[in-house]
């Protein structure tokens, strides 16, 4: 395994954090959110901060940026020193001057970090207008140059575009350009690649490394993806419940972790070795898709050239108890196919046969009796549950709408809570009272309540940290085993697909370029696009659970078990 092995002991220290404590505002007796955090990052070094959701990673980064929400969190003690400047006692005006010029941040979701009503070029220029004396012409020239440095295509067009007109990867490049345009000493990247497909993720990671090499920037990279850590880290700090429980150079951490918690995190990372193939079902297929096409635009206010063929002649079938995974980059057509099958959108052409009935051309009224046969679990559990409804109401709504009595629906809801490993007495709680992983379990319980023949999981685990992700994948597997549900699993993470899918279908620009058993597609891909996807998967050459490099990986002989 190739590790970054540069010695940073003689490099200039950029960030020094000592015994940092952060607590809840106005609640002095509540447990601390951060407890005695010590951290050092030197020029040119990439320091990864890892841990499960709620471990304190993002709070640490917000404290370093002076962005803790004042009505919620406050620094109780300790020191944050940025090259001699103490951030803990800085005024608001001092921090405004410090940000962008000496310390900058890339957030996880660029769509919420960018202003939706300002053109992206103007947003980058705004940084220059606030912190430099450049003229408007000079600022635009510097902005265009920076956009070219982050490898954006057609920069003149993108300069005038709004955020919603760009892809996720392009928006993240705009955020990087905005963060680095004043050559800051420290760049904080908070989960900047979590929602990106593997090829875009690889491009962003390479871009950050390239800019770091060019400018000598220190990088604090926050992530729950140990595959990403293996690719980019020089040193790693592992956080648990507001404390740093282990700190080590990347080679030492991956080959010889000391703490049980670190070992647990590493063991939960899925690898690209496909699961053992399950016996094919002899029963009739639950869903059959034939020649599915979906074209956007092309009529009304749109010109003919504006047509986008999101899905072209897609065909497949899924048997009871089997899982078909659809993988590909963003924009490949994965979610479009899922939405056509769910009839959340109407396909342009083709047939979808569900439990013996052709549903592609049915009207909304005709479709209603068939809805119980198919259910969907969305990517974001924070938005897929009604925040004003109790869990009980969310779980009971579907069965009651299809004729189940309220008492029977409540009893079934209680059984489902146990099935997804949540307590029965949690039925009266609201979604905000649960963690992200617990909410996704509730969303799965809601889908299973309808006893569907087909369960569609659209990026259902991509927003979860690795240990919770492993639990949810195991839960989905158990549900399939118990109820014989067929599953369509949409994902951009090939490692996840390897753990849960019986068959894999690879899509590129609306076309199916490869389709076959998961073991064949992921171990011996025939199409170049599939090979590129696998090559781009972070940590693909690492056996995390056994703390060693895989055979054939560069330098694997030097790794120790």
């Amino acid at each position: 395994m190739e590790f970054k092995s540069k010695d940073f002991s003689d490099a200039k220290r950029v960030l020094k954090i000592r015994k940092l404590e952060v607590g809840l505002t106005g609640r002095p007796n509540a447990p601390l959110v951060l407890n005695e955090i010590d951290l050092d990052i030197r020029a040119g070094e990439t320091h990864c901060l890892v841990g499960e959701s709620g471990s304190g990673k993002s709070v640490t980064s917000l404290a370093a940026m002076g962005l803790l929400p004042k009505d919620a969190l406050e620094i109780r003690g300790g020191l944050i020193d940025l090259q001699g400047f103490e951030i803990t006692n800085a005024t608001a005006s001092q921090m405004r001057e410090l940000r962008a010029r000496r310390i900058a941040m890339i957030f996880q979701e660029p769509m919420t970090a960018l202003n939706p009503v300002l053109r992206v070029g103007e947003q980058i220029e705004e940084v220059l207008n606030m912190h430099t004396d450049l003229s408007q012409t000079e600022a635009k020239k510097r902005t265009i140059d920076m956009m070219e440095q982050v490898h954006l295509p057609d920069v003149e067009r993108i300069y005038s575009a709004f955020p919603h007109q760009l892809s996720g990867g392009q928006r993240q490049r705009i955020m990087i350009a905005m963060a680095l345009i004043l050559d800051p000493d420290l760049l904080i990247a908070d989960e900047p690649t979590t929602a990106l497909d593997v090829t875009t993720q690889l491009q962003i990671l390479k871009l950050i490394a390239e800019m770091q090499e060019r400018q000598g920037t220190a990088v604090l990279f926050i992530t729950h993806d140990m595959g990403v850590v293996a690719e980019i880290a020089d040193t790693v700090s592992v956080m648990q419940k507001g404390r740093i429980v282990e700190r080590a150079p990347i080679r030492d951490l991956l080959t010889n972790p000391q703490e049980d918690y670190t070992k647990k995190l590493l063991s939960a990372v899925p690898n690209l070795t496909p699961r053992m193939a399950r016996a094919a079902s002899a029963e009739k297929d639950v869903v059959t898709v034939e020649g599915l096409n979906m074209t956007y635009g092309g009529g009304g206010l749109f010109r003919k050239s504006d047509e986008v063929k999101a899905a072209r002649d897609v065909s497949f079938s899924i048997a009871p108890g089997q899982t078909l995974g659809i993988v590909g980059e963003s924009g490949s057509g994965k979610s479009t196919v899922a939405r056509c099958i769910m009839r959340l959108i109407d396909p342009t052409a083709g047939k979808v046969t569900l439990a013996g009935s052709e549903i592609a051309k049915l009207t909304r009224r005709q479709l209603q009796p068939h809805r119980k046969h198919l259910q969907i679990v969305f990517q974001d559990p924070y938005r897929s549950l009604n925040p004003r409804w109790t869990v009980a109401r969310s779980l009971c709504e579907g069965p009651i709408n299809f004729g189940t009595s309220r008492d029977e629906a409540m009893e079934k809801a209680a059984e489902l809570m146990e099935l997804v490993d949540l307590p029965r007495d949690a039925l009266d709680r609201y979604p905000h009272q649960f963690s992200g992983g617990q909410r996704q379990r509730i969303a799965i319980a809601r889908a299973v309540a309808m006893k569907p023949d087909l369960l569609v999981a659209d990026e259902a685990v991509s927003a979860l940290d690795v240990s919770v992700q492993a639990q949810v994948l195991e839960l989905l597997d158990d549900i399939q085993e118990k109820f014989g549900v067929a599953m369509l699993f949409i994902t951009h993470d090939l490692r996840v697909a390897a753990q849960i899918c019986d068959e894999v279908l690879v899509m590129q620009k609306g076309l199916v370029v490869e389709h076959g058993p998961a073991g064949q597609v992921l171990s011996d891909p025939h199409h170049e696009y599939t090979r590129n996807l696998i090559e781009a998967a972070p940590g693909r050459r690492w056996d995390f659970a056994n703390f060693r490099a895989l055979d054939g990986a560069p330098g694997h002989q030097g790794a120790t078990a």
Side-chain angles (χ1 to χ4, degrees):
M1 184 70 188
E2 288 183 308
F3 292 102
K4 297 171 74 176
S5 56
K6 184 177 177 181
D7 182 10
F8 292 93
S9 58
D10 294 330
K12 177 179 65 174
R13 183 163 55 196
V14 174
L15 182 69
K16 172 185 173 183
I17 298 178
R18 291 291 182 270
K19 298 192 178 302
L20 177 65
E21 294 185 344
V22 173
L24 300 175
T25 301
R27 296 179 59 185
N29 297 323
L32 290 170
V33 178
L34 294 183
N35 199 331
E36 296 196 340
I37 300 298
D38 289 346
L39 205 60
D40 287 288
I41 309 176
R42 298 181 180 273
E45 179 184 11
T46 298
H47 190 109
C48 283
L49 204 55
V50 303
E52 296 175 292
S53 298
S55 61
K57 306 185 301 295
S58 292
V59 174
T60 302
S61 69
L62 291 173
M65 288 290 294
L67 291 175
L68 289 176
K70 301 234 178 325
D71 57 342
L73 297 170
E74 62 184 7
I75 293 176
R76 297 274 178 81
L79 170 78
I80 304 175
D81 181 281
L82 182 70
Q83 293 182 323
F85 184 89
E86 190 176 335
I87 290 174
T88 43
N89 296 322
T91 64
S93 61
Q94 286 175 323
M95 285 307 304
R96 279 195 297 271
E97 181 60 28
L98 199 69
R99 294 186 200 114
R101 185 178 292 279
R102 296 184 61 189
I103 181 171
M105 190 166 184
I106 307 169
F107 295 94
Q108 177 175 350
E109 178 45 69
M111 200 58 186
T112 57
L114 292 170
N115 190 325
V117 299
L118 280 182
R119 301 180 192 277
V120 294
E122 295 172 352
Q123 297 190 52
I124 300 174
E125 277 181 22
E126 187 177 25
V127 179
L128 296 172
N129 294 336
M130 287 182 64
H131 297 281
T132 72
D133 297 324
L134 293 177
S135 67
Q136 195 63 40
T137 302
E138 291 171 326
K140 181 173 181 178
K141 185 175 182 299
R142 178 75 185 275
T143 298
I144 293 291
D145 179 60
M146 193 67 204
M147 291 172 70
E148 288 174 346
Q149 286 186 47
V150 298
H151 306 306
L152 281 164
D154 193 5
V155 292
E156 291 288 350
R157 178 186 64 82
I158 290 182
Y159 175 90
S160 300
F162 291 96
H164 72 273
Q165 295 174 308
L166 306 181
S167 69
Q170 289 173 335
R171 287 194 290 264
Q172 200 61 285
R173 289 168 192 267
I174 293 294
M175 288 294 299
I176 294 171
M178 195 181 303
L180 295 179
I181 196 164
L182 291 178
D183 299 336
D185 301 308
L186 175 66
L187 175 66
I188 299 176
D190 189 359
E191 301 273 16
T193 61
T194 298
L196 303 178
D197 59 66
V198 287
T199 50
T200 305
Q201 180 183 66
L202 180 63
Q203 292 166 6
I204 295 298
L205 295 178
K206 283 183 175 179
L207 176 59
I208 292 174
E210 176 187 314
M211 305 297 283
Q212 180 186 31
E213 185 74 22
R214 186 184 306 154
Q215 301 173 6
T217 311
V219 175
L220 176 60
F221 198 101
I222 296 165
T223 183
H224 62 247
D225 190 332
M226 296 303 294
V228 169
V229 172
E231 298 287 340
I232 69 166
D234 294 301
T235 51
V236 185
S237 290
V238 182
M239 292 195 72
Q240 181 187 26
K241 297 179 179 177
R243 291 180 179 271
I244 292 179
V245 296
E246 186 164 358
R247 181 187 296 105
I250 181 62
R251 176 186 287 276
D252 295 345
L253 188 96
L254 292 185
T255 59
N256 190 26
Q258 299 299 303
E259 295 292 323
D260 288 341
Y261 179 71
T262 308
K263 293 175 184 177
K264 173 191 164 191
L265 283 182
L266 291 171
S267 298
V269 180
N271 58 54
L272 272 169
T273 305
R275 63 181 290 170
M276 185 179 296
R278 291 184 288 189
S281 174
E283 298 180 49
K284 187 177 180 181
D285 292 334
V286 170
V287 63
T288 301
V289 177
E290 301 173 72
L292 184 72
N293 284 268
M294 183 63 209
T295 302
Y296 293 104
L301 297 175
F302 294 93
R303 300 186 304 275
K304 194 69 176 177
S305 59
D306 289 329
E307 282 191 348
V308 175
K309 294 185 177 180
R312 293 184 275 175
D313 295 322
V314 177
S315 299
F316 59 83
S317 59
I318 312 176
Q322 297 285 296
T323 298
L324 171 70
I326 303 184
V327 302
E329 297 172 295
S330 298
S332 62
K334 308 185 301 294
S335 292
T336 293
V337 170
R339 288 169 184 160
C340 285
I341 292 170
M342 288 295 301
R343 285 299 309 276
L344 298 177
I345 55 176
D346 298 330
T348 308
K351 296 174 66 176
V352 178
T353 304
L354 176 71
S357 300
E358 210 288 291
I359 65 169
K361 302 299 181 185
L362 297 182
T363 65
R364 291 288 181 265
R365 182 182 293 274
Q366 292 170 331
L367 192 64
Q368 188 172 353
H370 301 276
R371 286 286 187 199
K372 62 183 178 182
H373 294 296
L374 70 170
Q375 291 293 303
I376 190 168
V377 180
F378 293 100
Q379 176 177 354
D380 189 352
Y382 292 85
R383 292 190 292 176
S384 61
L385 296 170
N386 190 326
R388 297 185 179 183
W389 285 9
T390 63
V391 171
R393 185 173 177 184
S394 288
L395 296 186
C396 292
E397 180 199 23
I400 289 173
N401 286 345
F402 279 87
T404 303
S405 70
R406 186 170 298 277
D407 289 344
E408 186 180 347
M410 280 295 293
E411 179 56 33
K412 183 64 178 176
E415 293 174 8
L416 286 169
M417 291 293 279
E418 291 182 347
L419 176 70
V420 298
D421 202 23
L422 290 173
R424 282 180 175 235
D425 59 13
L427 283 169
D428 293 330
R429 299 184 201 166
Y430 291 86
H432 72 270
Q433 295 173 289
F434 297 88
S435 69
Q438 289 172 325
R439 274 182 254 207
Q440 198 63 295
R441 289 171 180 270
I442 293 167
I444 292 169
R446 180 180 62 180
V448 173
M450 297 302 297
K451 299 178 182 177
D453 298 300
L454 176 68
L455 182 64
V456 176
D458 190 0
E459 300 281 11
V461 298
S462 65
L464 306 176
D465 57 60
V466 285
S467 55
V468 178
Q469 184 182 81
Q471 294 165 10
V472 172
L473 290 176
E474 186 177 350
L475 171 61
L476 289 171
D477 206 36
D478 290 344
I479 285 172
Q480 271 194 297
E481 190 74 29
K482 185 170 183 179
F483 298 108
V485 181
M487 184 156 62
L488 179 64
F489 196 90
I490 311 295
T491 183
H492 64 249
D493 191 333
L494 298 182
R495 296 170 301 174
V496 169
Q499 302 310 303
I500 197 167
C501 298
D502 300 293
E503 291 188 10
V504 171
L505 183 148
V506 184
M507 291 191 69
Q508 180 187 28
K509 297 179 180 178
L511 286 171
V512 176
V513 297
E514 192 157 356
H515 179 197
Q520 174 188 311
V521 173
L522 297 177
S523 300
D524 185 25
H526 294 156
H527 198 278
E528 182 181 1
Y529 178 72
T530 310
R531 290 195 290 269
N532 290 339
L533 286 180
I534 292 172
E535 189 63 24
R540 64 199 174 282
R541 297 189 178 98
W542 190 259
D543 181 358
F544 292 95
N546 294 304
F547 319 129
R548 65 181 182 87
L550 296 170
D551 290 345
H556 77 278
Q557 296 89 344
T560 57

